[in-house]
Amino acid sequence: GGRSKMKVVFCLPTVKRPYQQCLDSLEASLPLLAAHGWEEGMVNEVGNPYISAARATMLRKALDAKADVIVFIDHDISWRPADLIKLIETEGDVVAGTYRFKADEVSYMGTIHSTPEGTPMARADGCIKARMVPAGFLKITKEAVDKFMTVHPELCYGEKYRMSVDLFNHGAHEGLWWGEDYAFSRRWEALGGDIWLVPDLQLDHHSQDKSYLGNFHTFLRQQPGGDLWSST
């Protein structure tokens, strides 16, 4: 017979309940996931004030649910159904989308690698090699988790047969305070891993009374010289 379906598990940390826009996006994405042959699941962690602990707890639940791919989604992000498929099916162990800060001035989270000429380092499919990415729309494979745990036993905890890993361990490092998503990015690059950023995703970032709409690809195209390196 054919190979068994690949399974993706979504991890949503929330204080109370996700924004409706986030839930609507997830619901709208389910038929497309099924059409692409993905089995899916979702785990939550509600009310945990420590985001790194919330993510570590959800990751363990996702692995217990036999996830091949784990996707961390923040409760205040929304997207088009095709964007979630694109994130999941883009090649790479760590793949992310980026979105705007919640501010009127348009700026995006994360940092990218640039060529000596100052253009983003991109591969054939248009993905940009990133240095640091936010964890609000982030795909990580089970192989990446395995590699991370092997290199960072000091971040693993729990019973040996079913260890959890503090993938997003935050804190001070070489004179700077690192948030949990950038700290993960730093460690992943340090162990030789690549981080790929999918630029052409419509990721909107919501607050109670306002939505910060954004597409990083469009934003880059609008920068000086942006049309020179845009992927088709």
Side-chain angles (χ1 to χ4, degrees), residues 6-230:
M6 292 280 281
K7 184 168 189 180
V8 57
V9 175
F10 304 106
C11 298
L12 263 85
T14 61
V15 181
K16 288 181 180 154
R17 110 181 219 104
Y19 280 83
Q20 194 58 45
Q21 294 99 322
C22 179
L23 295 172
D24 290 347
S25 293
L26 200 54
E27 191 175 348
S29 301
L30 296 181
L32 201 53
L33 286 163
H36 280 245
W38 286 91
E39 188 186 338
E40 41 73 25
M42 186 171 91
V43 295
N44 291 101
E45 183 70 7
V46 182
N48 189 330
Y50 303 108
I51 187 62
S52 61
R55 293 195 204 282
T57 304
M58 291 189 299
L59 175 59
R60 185 62 258 168
K61 289 179 189 171
L63 294 170
D64 289 344
K66 302 284 189 280
D68 298 293
V69 171
I70 300 101
V71 177
F72 291 94
I73 297 176
D74 279 358
H75 74 287
D76 53 3
I77 299 288
S78 68
W79 61 91
R80 302 169 301 198
D83 293 327
L84 189 55
I85 284 289
K86 193 190 277 192
L87 179 80
I88 295 167
E89 297 195 340
T90 290
E91 193 181 324
D93 281 323
V94 176
V95 180
T98 185
Y99 39 89
R100 286 175 55 186
F101 286 97
K102 293 183 187 180
D104 292 333
E105 183 198 348
V106 177
S107 66
Y108 281 77
M109 298 189 184
T111 58
I112 59 181
H113 285 281
S114 295
T115 65
E117 299 78 50
T119 56
M121 284 176 69
R123 63 183 188 192
D125 63 357
C127 284
I128 296 168
K129 192 172 185 197
R131 184 171 273 121
M132 288 180 271
V133 289
F137 204 70
L138 175 66
K139 163 198 149 178
I140 300 177
T141 63
K142 67 179 193 285
E143 291 79 13
V145 176
D146 191 70
K147 190 185 284 189
F148 191 98
M149 292 178 81
T150 303
V151 175
H152 289 288
E154 79 283 1
L155 295 177
C156 298
Y157 63 96
E159 304 91 352
K160 289 284 185 286
Y161 61 87
R162 197 185 69 131
M163 297 204 87
S164 297
V165 57
D166 189 10
L167 207 59
F168 297 94
N169 176 272
H170 62 286
H173 174 74
E174 294 181 354
L176 292 173
W177 173 268
W178 291 71
E180 88 287 350
D181 38 14
Y182 287 8
F184 164 73
S185 300
R186 184 191 78 231
R187 290 190 180 97
W188 180 247
E189 276 214 313
L191 62 77
D194 289 329
I195 301 169
W196 295 104
L197 186 63
V198 185
D200 193 9
L201 300 173
Q202 180 66 39
L203 298 181
D204 300 332
H205 203 184
H206 304 279
S207 63
Q208 291 290 352
D209 51 359
K210 192 165 180 184
S211 296
Y212 299 88
L213 313 182
N215 180 307
F216 190 54
H217 177 68
T218 305
F219 170 75
L220 290 173
R221 289 287 300 270
Q222 292 162 347
Q223 302 312 300
D227 49 355
L228 298 177
W229 59 271
S230 66

